[in-house]
Amino acid sequence: MDAESLLLSLELASGSGQGLSPDRRASLLTSLMLVKRDYRYDRVLFWGRILGLVADYYIAQGLSEDQLAPRKTLYRRGRGRKLGNQDPGDVVGSLNCMEWSLLPPATEEMVVQTSVVKGRFMGDPSHEYEHTELQKMSEGEKVFEEEVVVQIKEETRLVSVIDQIDKAVAVIPRGALFKTPFGPIHVNRTFEGLSLSEAKKLSSYFHFREPVELKNKTLLEKADLDPSLDFMDPLEHDIPKGSWSIQMERGNALVVLRSLLWPGLTFFHAPRTKNYGYIYVGTGEKNIDLPFML
Amino acid sequence: MGDPPPDPEPHPQQPSSRRSSQVPQRRSRELSLPQTSISEEVPQTPFDGPAMQSSQGILASQTNLQDWSSGPPLTAQENLAMFPTEEAQLGGVEYPSLNMGFPSELQPQPYLEEGGMQAARNVSLMLQQLQQGQGSLFQQLDSAYLETQPDYLGQFNMYQGEDLQFDQGVPHGPYVRDDPTLQYSPSELGFMPFSAEVPEPEPRELAVQNAKAYLLQTSAGCSLSLYEHLVNLLTKILNQRPEDPLSILESLNRTTQWEWFHPKLDTMRDDPEMEHTYEMAERQKGLFLRSSAGGEGEQEMEEEVAETAVPNIMETAFYFEQAGVGLSSDESFRIFMALKQLVEQQPIHTCRFWGKILGLSRSYLVAEVEFREGEEEGEEEEVEEMMEGGEGLDPHDEEEGEEDEEKVTDVIPKPMWRPPPIVPKEESRSGTNKYLYFVCNEPGRPWTRLPHVTPLQIVQARKIKKFFTGYLDAPIISFPPFPGNEANYLRAQIARISAATHISPLGFYQFSEEEGDEEEEGGSGRDSYEENPDFEGIPVLELVDSMANWVHHTQHILPQGRCTWVNPLQKLEEEEELGEEEEKADEGMEEMEQEVGPPLLTPLSEDAEIMHVSPWTARLSCSLCPQYSVAVVRSNLWPGAYAYASGKKFENIYIGWGHKYSPENFNPPLPAPIQHEYPSSPDVMEMSDPTVEEEQALKAAQEQALAAAEEEEEDEEEDEDEDLDD
């Protein structure tokens, strides 16, 4: 959600039950403003919160002028608490909550590497997950497998999870961005919101990422598209089908999309107005049981 | 829009200088401006009849013409041709445009005679306007007014923008046009003909007229002409004055077109799309009306203030908001009003907002309720009757089956499988059915009561994981099959969540003083508690530090599906007789062991870990001000379950999808193995079906036998006949 309309957006997204406490809201407003200034972003989005066992991560993203360019991700740890009885010596100190750290961009190897890590996030970016792998080592002519303990840092896992969530379920309504013939993608200032009938259809929402499926469309389908508005993949054909729950809340004045694949992602839009946004508040784990649950 | 311009002095200028100095401007709405090549003759500024106002602006002519690559070259004649029509509209008040900088040798248009329109435009006027970047729309200026001096610019810079639509022009003010002698110095205009002849339209005018006609055309499919559309577009831009309009030009274009075809509806007509929204709003409005039973306002107020079963939702919402959990405050208030409505409708003793369960199409708001003592739940009795009726049918069928069996020669052996004994469900107000639950989809909708939960439903609910759709009567299609529909599944999940995550600070609840019940209940522990009047409250920091300061105040659900253990075998003997054989079979079943669970009021530190991780996470709500913050505990086992405690207050809430967290993937149970067939015994022996050859051989043999029998008969008949004959 846009940092500029943070308060309203949080209010509209509160239907999923998770939000921010007043002190966090206040600190976010100021710190995001400073982030925008320091990093010279065009827009700063508050991406959401990943709940860890000890502490939570607050994630923000900065966008440059071209909306679809790779986004820079920043994170900030919420205050944790002492691990207490379990490990009295390991005090997880509280960081100054106004400081944001930049995360490295996600790479393919990171995603592959962290796909073996399961379970909740700890909340400590320097925490290391240990994973034993069988690696084939070859010495001379012998090829044998050896158990190698691979250490994966939680920060890497955080990066890849955020990237996966973005690629999978970041949503934007149709018409909010438009593409100019020169290439860059701009925010559409004349976007007045979707109408009520459009807002209930999944085809009016797009994935907020580089299009993947567009090329596979038939020519007939492409003829109906408007190249300046329809340049991203719609949610309609997501697999598995039914992985989006679309609801009207507040007596039909707000449409809320919730992802069932990454539970915790909520997208809201007030039809006929400019308000829209998405936020992720969850544990950062994919819901692999989705096919059983539908 | 200002006064009509006074008589400007004529200002002769060289067209060339004008051309060179003209700055590209915004296109005027006068798209019918002729695109005259500058090298050619004087470009004409065509006359836009409807837009003709008090002619303050000056049309951008040449510059636009320069930029404009399309369009036919217009000649002056086109202008001429266009004007008569427009003049007809305006009653001939309007005047044709000025000739812009035509070379002095050109004759001014003959139409000029009508109003003595000035032939020569005031080039410097335009120039200055352009240079000032006024961006005001240029209009047809009465050609009578040549403006050289800057003072007049103000008037000409008039921004006609407010309404540039097809206004019928206000008759222009007292233009002193009619007296050409006042306006033009003879030196310039000496050539101006004031004759009454209508000259032939020059090629340029013709071109202008053609262009405008082309722009005005509409197609069969669309009644909007390009001309009109561009007028609308520029009007919109000038009205709204967005920043950097060039960058959003395409969007504006699209929006303008859309608006033309989707005009705002009449105020008298309803917007069909919004009907549903208005309906919901009406319903919610009903929430806010005070019940007007009796006219004694004050008394009612007092009664209400005294005691109400409805809890203080707003206070709870406030505390949870500190923890970052919960719905928005206006939603909480609506829930509060809805609960109040529920309390008025049903005989409720205590009531609590349990939480919200998200669903695919709709979500559920759940209220936990306790009826007043002695209130019979009529629905429950109906349900029980139906169940008993159902059971009565089964033995009936069995009897019929037995009869059928006797008739058939083959005795089909009875199946060995007996359904497992049904664990009886718990009584109301005890165990899992301690509270009643009401659900509704949105505040304002009616509350529906959920049925009591049976142990079997809880057991099955543990094995499946399904999303809620939002409709209570939706079937649950799963394996193992769930005995019930979504309402039952919802109730089962609510029961599980309540049992696992309802916690309170240590000491808030205590056991009642009676003892000695332990033995009677078979070691299942006490199941009643009461509030501790001496509870002092635990400091928030301690609550956060140690999980031992929190206790469960709901009973743990045993694997059986109940909170108190019941041996189902005992019940069997009381059920309808099944026959001697079956009794023997029962004895062969394993004896059930009594299941024991943790007793009531166990601290959270005793809870089992998930993957070496505590199932609870405790946090201070705000570490910046620890003195005023609340302690918040979050469940890791049931994501979405929260509890807060501060001083003497505490509360639990659940907002989530209604599923348990499991670090492993969900593995549905496999189907049961195929049952063994009956062992071959003398009673039941499996034989293979006869093959085709065997059947044919049999058939042949039968035919032979038949034929032989017929022959014998015939022989006998013949013999008889012979005998008779004899």
Side-chain angles (χ1 to χ4, degrees):
Chain A
M1 55 182 57
D2 230 335
E4 274 132 39
S5 55
L6 189 69
L7 293 178
L8 175 64
S9 308
L10 280 173
E11 169 112 0
L12 292 176
S14 62
S16 305
Q18 304 270 13
L20 291 176
S21 55
D23 59 314
R24 292 263 186 265
R25 282 205 290 263
S27 71
L28 261 186
L29 279 173
T30 35
S31 60
L32 287 179
M33 193 69 58
L34 291 174
V35 159
K36 188 169 173 184
R37 176 200 72 183
D38 292 338
Y39 289 87
R40 307 236 182 263
Y41 289 137
D42 189 56
R43 274 209 303 167
V44 175
L45 302 181
F46 176 59
W47 186 89
R49 195 164 93 146
I50 292 193
L51 308 172
L53 291 169
V54 173
D56 300 339
Y57 293 107
Y58 293 81
I59 317 282
Q61 284 189 331
L63 280 84
S64 51
E65 182 69 34
D66 182 2
Q67 305 290 318
L68 272 192
R71 308 191 261 275
K72 308 274 184 307
T73 316
L74 304 127
Y75 81 101
R76 185 193 91 183
R77 257 183 80 243
R79 282 186 199 83
R81 61 172 187 89
K82 285 193 287 191
L83 286 177
N85 302 334
Q86 296 170 15
D87 204 347
D90 185 4
V91 175
V92 176
S94 63
L95 302 178
N96 181 355
C97 265
M98 299 292 266
E99 283 181 7
W100 295 83
S101 328
L102 190 61
L103 282 176
T107 60
E108 286 287 333
E109 327 161 17
M110 269 195 218
V111 176
V112 168
Q113 200 186 28
T114 53
S115 59
V116 295
V117 181
K118 291 197 171 53
R120 300 282 302 272
F121 276 87
M122 284 306 284
D124 175 14
S126 53
H127 175 86
E128 295 195 341
Y129 297 97
E130 293 185 351
H131 170 70
T132 51
E133 266 183 13
L134 294 176
Q135 278 190 3
K136 291 203 174 158
M137 316 273 285
S138 56
E139 283 188 8
E141 295 179 353
K142 289 189 206 169
V143 176
F144 56 89
E145 292 185 358
E146 198 180 282
E147 279 196 11
V148 174
V149 175
V150 177
Q151 307 240 334
I152 303 167
K153 285 185 73 172
E154 176 149 305
E155 205 180 60
T156 323
R157 187 178 171 207
L158 186 68
V159 166
S160 67
V161 159
I162 295 176
D163 186 60
Q164 281 177 12
I165 294 180
D166 263 345
K167 287 211 166 65
V169 287
V171 178
I172 200 145
R174 178 176 187 267
L177 301 181
F178 73 100
K179 192 169 179 174
T180 54
F182 309 110
I185 295 174
H186 295 292
V187 174
N188 183 2
R189 289 190 350 239
T190 62
F191 176 59
E192 290 293 331
L194 300 172
S195 67
L196 263 181
S197 53
E198 280 178 28
K200 294 189 186 164
K201 294 189 239 169
L202 271 185
S203 52
S204 357
Y205 301 100
F206 292 147
H207 284 282
F208 191 25
R209 58 153 200 234
E210 291 289 335
V212 169
E213 298 284 326
L214 269 189
K215 317 162 212 148
N216 302 342
K217 283 191 185 256
T218 64
L219 269 182
L220 270 182
E221 285 173 356
K222 279 196 216 171
D224 289 330
L225 297 180
D226 183 347
S228 68
L229 291 184
D230 295 303
F231 54 94
M232 292 184 282
D233 301 322
L235 295 188
E236 216 177 2
H237 303 295
D238 267 7
I239 295 167
K241 193 158 179 218
S243 65
W244 287 96
S245 136
I246 181 164
Q247 282 182 29
M248 305 298 295
E249 285 202 358
R250 285 174 179 247
N252 234 26
L254 183 70
V255 62
V256 175
L257 265 75
R258 294 198 181 97
S259 167
L260 305 178
L261 190 59
W262 291 94
L265 183 107
T266 312
F267 169 83
F268 63 89
H269 173 53
R272 300 194 180 185
T273 70
K274 286 191 227 257
N275 300 321
Y276 65 88
Y278 67 90
I279 189 173
Y280 178 84
V281 179
T283 62
E285 287 168 300
K286 195 167 177 178
N287 180 17
I288 307 185
D289 306 330
L290 181 60
F292 292 116
M293 296 168 78
L294 284 175
Chain B
M1 277 298 196
D3 309 320
D7 287 355
E9 290 180 1
H11 179 81
Q13 268 215 1
Q14 293 307 316
S16 51
S17 61
R18 195 162 24 139
R19 279 177 227 137
S20 55
S21 53
Q22 293 204 349
V23 181
Q25 292 175 359
R26 277 204 316 187
R27 274 192 336 191
S28 75
R29 51 194 182 74
E30 291 293 359
L31 295 169
S32 51
L33 284 181
Q35 188 210 13
T36 54
S37 48
I38 304 306
S39 56
E40 286 181 36
E41 305 169 79
V42 178
Q44 294 285 344
T45 55
F47 164 95
D48 183 23
M52 188 81 168
Q53 303 278 338
S54 47
S55 66
Q56 307 294 336
I58 298 182
L59 281 167
S61 59
Q62 288 197 337
T63 53
N64 292 337
L65 306 175
Q66 283 168 5
D67 301 338
W68 206 19
S69 54
S70 60
L74 298 174
T75 64
Q77 281 111 5
E78 291 185 14
N79 269 351
L80 179 60
M82 287 192 261
F83 297 136
T85 52
E86 288 153 345
E87 283 165 328
Q89 291 173 17
L90 300 168
V93 185
E94 305 306 320
Y95 301 98
S97 63
L98 313 169
N99 291 337
M100 308 285 291
F102 53 85
S104 47
E105 60 270 16
L106 267 189
Q107 294 234 341
Q109 301 307 315
Y111 52 74
L112 292 176
E113 69 177 333
E114 279 201 75
M117 292 287 281
Q118 180 66 272
R121 259 298 162 92
N122 185 355
V123 171
S124 70
L125 175 61
M126 269 185 33
L127 264 183
Q128 281 158 358
Q129 279 201 349
L130 295 176
Q131 282 160 5
Q132 288 174 15
Q134 291 297 327
S136 54
L137 279 190
F138 297 97
Q139 262 209 332
Q140 283 291 337
L141 194 70
D142 287 353
S143 52
Y145 304 101
L146 295 177
E147 199 54 44
T148 54
Q149 291 134 30
D151 329 327
Y152 296 105
L153 281 180
Q155 294 140 6
F156 289 110
N157 291 344
M158 207 73 60
Y159 164 51
Q160 306 286 348
E162 299 323 320
D163 189 11
L164 300 169
Q165 299 289 337
F166 285 78
D167 256 22
Q168 290 304 316
V170 178
H172 295 291
Y175 290 145
V176 195
R177 336 181 147 124
D178 293 309
D179 192 354
T181 54
L182 292 181
Q183 299 164 7
Y184 311 118
S185 66
S187 57
E188 291 175 18
L189 305 173
F191 49 81
M192 216 200 276
F194 294 112
S195 64
E197 2 173 297
V198 178
E200 288 182 7
E202 297 183 22
R204 172 146 304 162
E205 277 186 30
L206 196 56
V208 168
Q209 284 174 355
N210 280 344
K212 190 164 178 187
Y214 163 73
L215 290 172
L216 274 170
Q217 76 189 4
T218 62
S219 66
C222 159
S223 64
L224 176 67
S225 70
L226 180 58
Y227 187 88
E228 275 183 50
H229 170 69
L230 288 166
V231 166
N232 294 345
L233 178 63
L234 286 167
T235 314
K236 187 184 168 97
I237 292 179
L238 285 169
N239 281 343
Q240 295 180 356
R241 300 285 178 131
E243 278 191 25
D244 195 15
L246 182 58
S247 63
I248 50 171
L249 185 61
E250 290 87 6
S251 318
L252 285 171
N253 185 25
R254 186 188 318 276
T255 320
T256 314
Q257 264 184 341
W258 188 88
E259 275 173 11
W260 175 269
F261 291 109
H262 297 85
K264 294 270 188 225
L265 290 173
D266 238 340
T267 45
M268 299 307 288
R269 285 166 66 181
D270 292 331
D271 187 355
E273 275 196 347
M274 297 291 286
E275 283 212 28
H276 190 52
T277 315
Y278 294 147
E279 192 194 9
M280 273 310 298
E282 281 282 335
R283 216 175 281 181
Q284 291 192 346
K285 176 177 152 192
L287 280 179
F288 293 98
L289 296 172
R290 290 180 64 80
S291 60
S292 55
E296 303 147 10
E298 282 192 15
Q299 247 192 10
E300 279 184 18
M301 284 280 241
E302 287 176 11
E303 283 175 12
E304 284 192 36
V305 166
E307 260 211 43
T308 169
V310 188
N312 191 350
I313 305 264
M314 299 309 292
E315 189 186 10
T316 315
F318 165 75
Y319 281 115
F320 275 120
E321 196 193 346
Q322 301 295 308
V325 175
L327 309 168
S328 60
S329 46
D330 55 310
E331 192 72 18
S332 302
F333 190 77
R334 277 191 222 117
I335 292 173
F336 176 57
M337 300 308 293
L339 278 179
K340 199 164 154 206
Q341 209 180 46
L342 176 65
V343 164
E344 284 163 12
Q345 288 168 358
Q346 306 271 350
I348 287 177
H349 179 56
T350 58
C351 167
R352 197 176 80 82
F353 179 56
W354 185 91
K356 178 174 176 181
I357 292 196
L358 305 170
L360 294 181
S361 323
R362 306 195 291 195
S363 304
Y364 292 113
L365 294 170
V366 182
E368 188 182 76
V369 143
E370 213 175 312
F371 270 176
R372 284 198 277 265
E373 293 290 335
E375 288 290 333
E376 287 305 319
E377 298 109 12
E379 290 181 28
E380 281 304 313
E381 291 180 355
E382 289 175 18
V383 171
E384 286 183 19
E385 282 172 16
M386 282 173 54
M387 280 175 50
E388 283 171 15
E391 288 175 15
L393 284 173
D394 291 334
H396 202 56
D397 288 333
E398 281 190 31
E399 289 173 15
E400 289 181 4
E402 290 182 30
E403 288 175 14
D404 288 332
E405 286 174 29
E406 290 171 10
K407 289 176 192 167
V408 174
T409 47
D410 288 332
V411 177
I412 302 172
K414 291 196 191 143
M416 302 281 285
W417 176 81
R418 288 273 156 262
I422 302 174
V423 180
K425 78 173 182 200
E426 295 186 272
E427 295 295 315
S428 312
R429 302 173 192 273
S430 76
T432 47
N433 291 325
K434 183 160 187 188
Y435 294 104
L436 272 176
Y437 292 92
F438 281 82
V439 291
C440 82
N441 290 113
E442 259 196 85
R445 291 199 187 264
W447 291 89
T448 319
R449 189 167 121 182
L450 288 181
H452 279 312
V453 66
T454 64
L456 180 62
Q457 286 169 355
I458 291 190
V459 168
Q460 298 293 74
R462 282 175 172 151
K463 295 184 189 159
I464 66 174
K465 198 170 175 190
K466 284 275 176 189
F467 278 119
F468 294 98
T469 59
Y471 295 96
L472 284 175
D473 47 2
I476 305 275
I477 303 169
S478 65
F479 184 76
F482 185 78
N485 55 14
E486 183 157 313
N488 303 106
Y489 184 47
L490 179 64
R491 179 68 181 84
Q493 292 292 95
I494 292 176
R496 289 172 72 198
I497 293 173
S498 301
T501 61
H502 279 186
I503 57 181
S504 57
L506 177 71
F508 191 91
Y509 288 117
Q510 68 185 10
F511 289 122
S512 36
E513 288 302 317
E514 300 170 23
E515 289 186 9
D517 293 337
E518 282 193 46
E519 296 172 10
E520 287 177 16
E521 293 178 25
S524 56
R526 294 165 231 169
D527 59 355
S528 70
Y529 51 84
E530 60 178 25
E531 277 189 39
N532 180 0
D534 304 326
F535 178 61
E536 286 294 330
I538 302 181
V540 163
L541 286 174
E542 283 181 33
L543 280 175
V544 167
D545 265 345
S546 157
M547 286 289 106
N549 287 325
W550 296 86
V551 297
H552 288 279
H553 63 257
T554 39
Q555 279 181 305
H556 174 80
I557 302 186
L558 301 168
Q560 199 186 37
R562 290 177 51 114
C563 291
T564 51
W565 192 78
V566 154
N567 189 349
L569 294 178
Q570 294 170 358
K571 282 280 184 175
L572 266 185
E573 295 167 8
E574 299 169 8
E575 281 182 1
E576 304 166 33
E577 293 186 355
L578 304 168
E580 290 186 3
E581 295 175 10
E582 285 138 349
E583 279 183 12
K584 286 182 195 164
D586 288 336
E587 288 173 8
M589 282 169 64
E590 301 170 5
E591 284 192 11
M592 298 235 183
E593 288 183 10
Q594 184 177 13
E595 295 162 6
V596 181
L600 203 57
L601 300 189
T602 348
L604 298 194
S605 43
E606 309 285 328
D607 280 359
E609 289 185 354
I610 330 166
M611 301 268 284
H612 313 292
V613 151
S614 161
W616 300 93
T617 305
R619 198 77 51 87
L620 272 183
S621 68
C622 167
S623 32
L624 286 170
C625 52
Q627 51 273 58
Y628 298 122
S629 54
V630 299
V632 179
V633 175
R634 188 171 78 203
S635 168
N636 296 328
L637 192 56
W638 291 94
Y642 289 84
Y644 87 88
S646 163
K648 296 194 186 171
K649 298 192 202 133
F650 84 97
E651 188 57 75
N652 296 287
I653 201 169
Y654 180 87
I655 303 185
W657 293 99
H659 298 118
K660 195 171 184 176
Y661 169 78
S662 83
E664 273 86 34
N665 301 343
F666 172 70
N667 274 323
L670 293 173
I674 306 175
Q675 294 181 353
H676 291 298
E677 294 185 354
Y678 300 115
S680 290
S681 63
D683 291 342
V684 181
M685 199 155 62
E686 191 180 357
M687 293 179 10
S688 48
D689 283 339
T691 61
V692 178
E693 291 81 15
E694 285 180 17
E695 279 188 6
Q696 285 181 347
L698 184 62
K699 193 173 167 191
Q702 279 182 346
E703 282 177 5
Q704 276 184 4
L706 199 61
E710 283 181 6
E711 283 181 15
E712 284 182 12
E713 283 181 14
E714 287 177 11
D715 288 343
E716 286 179 8
E717 285 177 9
E718 286 178 11
D719 290 343
E720 286 178 9
D721 289 340
E722 286 177 6
D723 289 342
L724 286 173
D725 287 342
D726 287 347

